[in-house]
Amino acid sequence: MENKMVLKYDMPLIEGIIEKRKSQFTIDVIVDNELVRCHCPTTGRIGNIDLSGIPCLLSKSNDPKRKTPYTVEAVSLDLGKSKEKSWIGINQNAANRYVENALVNGLFSDMISGYDSVLREQVLGVSKLDFLVGHTYIEVKTPLLSIQLPYPEHIKTKKVGKFKSTERFIKHINELAGSIVNNQRAILLICFIYDNPGFKVEVRSTNSDFVKSEVQKCISKGIEIWQVNFSISTDGVRLLNYFSITHNFMERD
């Protein structure tokens, strides 16, 4: 599949080195030999990686009053001195913007086509789903609890516990399945801002068996599960590929 630009930045991203993750919302980064407190766009963990000392990409805010002038958009498992780095996007909110741009420009034609509208944040039952595309609801999930890439030897890891918060996912997937009563299709889109060859359900939750049964029930009702891989660099975000993983989604557990 052609490597297509879905978002070009007005200003190129800036490279820095992470000093330490200070909180759910902030990361201290060394930028041009200066320590700067930056916004972390994901409140959850980023795999089991110790972020200290690894390279990152930053976007600069246009708001001079913002307490954190930069947002950490991506991290890399490569050494800071490496000239050619591979980046892992961590901005889960921005992922929806990338998906929207791809939908508006018809870049997912093998997944969905023939629609005349792309609507964001549509209320369905007790949920608010990410997109209504024509008559198809699409909910986007951007997993970061597990980084599904080989770790180089220099990467430090941390011990992590089981994931506890599955209620929102279960609610959304059931609303998606219920939407098929009035719509032809419903899609759960698993989104990665790096090149993941095939999603694996690696992270165990405290109720994994229940989650698995709910997913299987929803698939039996007709929901589709697709994966999309984007790539991020200093100049923008590109679409790498996308493909259906409906039939082997839970087999990867």
Side-chain angles (χ1 to χ4, degrees):
M1 181 178 295
E2 186 179 349
N3 193 328
K4 296 181 179 180
M5 181 72 78
V6 297
L7 178 69
K8 185 172 179 60
Y9 297 124
D10 294 332
M11 295 178 58
L13 301 184
I14 300 166
E15 190 168 330
I17 298 291
I18 293 176
E19 177 77 10
K20 185 178 181 181
R21 183 167 184 174
K22 295 292 291 184
S23 70
Q24 283 184 308
F25 305 100
T26 58
I27 296 178
D28 283 351
V29 179
I30 300 172
V31 185
D32 293 331
N33 297 316
E34 180 183 353
L35 189 64
V36 182
R37 186 149 296 173
C38 303
H39 173 61
C40 181
T42 176
T43 57
R45 69 177 189 248
I46 301 167
N48 61 342
I49 300 170
D50 181 349
L51 296 176
S52 302
I54 74 170
C56 64
L57 290 180
L58 308 170
S59 60
K60 186 172 177 58
S61 172
N62 293 322
D63 184 358
K65 296 181 180 179
R66 206 176 90 161
K67 293 181 179 179
T68 49
Y70 298 100
T71 294
V72 181
E73 299 288 347
V75 299
S76 178
L77 302 182
D78 297 318
L79 291 168
K81 61 184 178 182
S82 301
K83 291 185 178 179
E84 297 293 329
K85 298 182 180 70
S86 297
W87 298 102
I88 300 166
I90 65 168
N91 194 332
Q92 292 168 307
N93 292 325
N96 280 26
R97 189 162 74 250
Y98 310 152
V99 169
E100 181 179 24
N101 286 0
L103 287 167
V104 168
N105 290 289
L107 301 184
F108 292 147
S109 58
D110 289 341
M111 180 178 75
I112 185 167
S113 61
Y115 51 88
D116 55 8
S117 62
V118 178
L119 304 177
R120 286 286 302 269
E121 297 188 345
Q122 297 298 294
V123 175
L124 178 65
V126 296
S127 297
K128 183 181 287 186
L129 300 182
D130 291 318
F131 295 99
L132 178 59
V133 183
H135 297 289
T136 299
Y137 283 100
I138 299 178
E139 175 68 10
V140 179
K141 298 297 181 187
T142 308
L144 286 173
L145 293 176
S146 172
I147 302 301
Q148 299 183 348
L149 294 172
Y151 289 4
E153 290 185 1
H154 67 271
I155 292 295
K156 299 176 183 178
T157 60
K158 302 181 293 184
K159 187 176 181 179
V160 296
K162 290 185 177 180
F163 186 58
K164 297 179 180 179
S165 180
T166 58
E167 294 85 358
R168 190 165 182 265
F169 171 76
I170 291 170
K171 181 177 72 170
H172 283 168
I173 198 169
N174 276 286
E175 293 286 3
L176 268 177
S179 77
I180 297 176
V181 174
N182 298 313
N183 296 279
Q184 292 182 343
R185 300 174 66 202
I187 297 170
L188 176 66
L189 183 60
I190 310 296
C191 174
F192 294 94
I193 314 174
Y194 63 91
D195 193 6
N196 183 334
F199 175 59
K200 298 178 182 179
V201 183
E202 293 178 343
V203 176
R204 290 286 181 177
S205 67
T206 52
N207 60 344
S208 289
D209 291 341
F210 175 67
V211 173
K212 183 175 182 178
S213 67
E214 288 295 292
V215 171
Q216 290 174 331
K217 179 185 72 176
C218 292
I219 289 174
S220 69
K221 289 183 177 180
I223 76 158
E224 301 169 40
I225 304 178
W226 287 70
Q227 177 178 331
V228 58
N229 295 331
F230 295 107
S231 67
I232 185 169
S233 63
T234 55
D235 65 333
V237 174
R238 291 171 172 81
L239 172 64
L240 294 177
N241 49 33
Y242 63 97
F243 42 90
S244 174
I245 57 173
T246 307
H247 298 298
N248 56 0
F249 181 70
M250 295 311 298
E251 292 176 8
R252 298 176 182 271
D253 196 347

